[in-house]
Amino acid sequence: MTSETRLSTPATTVPSSNLIEPIEPVTTVASQLDELAEEAGSLRSTSRFMAESTSELHQKVLFQSWQHRISERGKLAPKVLLEEIADLGFAWRDVACMIGVSVPAVQKWRRAGGVSGENRRRLASLLALCDEITERYHIQEVASWFEMPLTASAPITPIDMYVDGQPRLVLEHASGHSDEEAILTAYDPDWRERYRSDFEVYLESDGAMSIRSKKA
């Protein structure tokens, strides 16, 4: 009877060091928040840069469009420019103020002409700005819009901004892309303190409007 000899295959010895899985760096909640904060900050900076660049481009395009309209309006005779401005509803005192002359000077132009080239361009500029505002932003009765304060907190109007050489802010206000307080701050950084009031308007229990001191 043949006896079978069984040969046992020796077990392969695995180094103990290979039995231990490498330890991954532990990501803590704090480090995750730091990374998120950095990413959010980067996105915020990028968004702010894009918003500022887009706003600057938009204002530049509006200004160039206005300049093109000025060239077209400048082809009209000064008396025609004055008639069209009057048809929009502007008071002559406001026209004179925005052009930078006296009311008698405007009245003289209407009667006898004699408008200088510089003043002819000023008339064309005002009318072209009204064209831009009414046609692009559909603002009706543009003359009264020019007289309307930007907010109830300050008496500053588009006429004031135009007179002070800020037609870009007038266009920005008409576009509606910036809030009124931001436009006022660009026009006058101290407007809040300048027009601060110690009184406020409130509604009485009987429905009537009254004024009282804010310190009351």
Side-chain angles (χ1 to χ4, degrees):
M1 186 173 179
T2 304
S3 60
E4 298 178 355
T5 305
R6 297 184 179 180
L7 299 178
S8 60
T9 303
T12 303
T13 303
V14 180
S16 59
S17 60
N18 292 341
L19 297 177
I20 303 176
E21 295 183 358
I23 301 175
E24 296 290 338
V26 178
T27 301
T28 64
V29 173
S31 63
Q32 289 177 340
L33 291 175
D34 287 342
E35 291 178 3
L36 288 173
E38 290 182 5
E39 291 179 5
S42 178
L43 287 172
R44 187 174 183 181
S45 298
T46 301
S47 299
R48 181 169 59 248
F49 173 77
M50 292 181 64
E52 291 174 353
S53 299
T54 303
S55 176
E56 183 178 349
L57 176 61
H58 182 237
Q59 291 178 3
K60 183 177 180 180
V61 171
L62 287 179
F63 186 79
Q64 290 177 342
S65 178
W66 176 44
Q67 295 300 304
H68 174 71
R69 290 179 185 268
I70 291 173
S71 298
E72 293 299 311
R73 282 301 199 175
K75 298 176 182 179
L76 300 176
K79 283 188 177 182
V80 176
L81 292 172
L82 284 168
E83 288 174 2
E84 293 205 25
I85 290 173
D87 289 342
L88 291 175
F90 283 100
W92 291 122
R93 66 176 183 279
D94 292 333
V95 174
C97 186
M98 288 188 281
I99 300 302
V101 297
S102 65
V103 173
V106 175
Q107 292 173 341
K108 178 183 176 182
W109 293 348
R110 295 178 64 201
R111 292 193 309 269
V115 181
S116 67
E118 181 180 356
N119 286 328
R120 178 172 178 163
R121 181 174 180 82
R122 290 178 179 176
L123 288 172
S125 298
L126 176 57
L127 190 55
L129 187 66
C130 293
D131 292 340
E132 187 75 16
I133 291 172
T134 56
E135 294 178 19
R136 189 179 298 278
Y137 300 116
H138 310 291
I139 292 177
Q140 300 178 0
E141 297 186 5
V142 67
S144 61
W145 178 85
F146 263 87
E147 298 174 349
M148 185 173 64
L150 272 69
T151 71
S153 303
I156 299 171
T157 67
I159 290 179
D160 296 321
M161 295 191 294
Y162 189 85
V163 169
D164 288 337
Q166 296 290 346
R168 291 177 184 265
L169 292 180
V170 176
L171 284 170
E172 185 70 10
H173 174 47
S175 72
H177 291 293
S178 296
D179 66 81
E180 288 77 8
E181 291 193 356
I183 294 174
L184 285 174
T185 301
Y187 172 69
D188 179 5
D190 299 324
W191 70 271
R192 288 184 177 84
E193 183 62 26
R194 193 183 310 279
Y195 299 106
R196 183 179 62 83
S197 175
D198 293 328
F199 297 90
E200 64 180 358
V201 178
Y202 72 100
L203 186 66
E204 291 274 14
S205 58
D206 60 358
M209 300 300 295
S210 299
I211 299 177
R212 65 185 176 191
S213 172
K214 291 181 180 179
K215 299 179 180 180

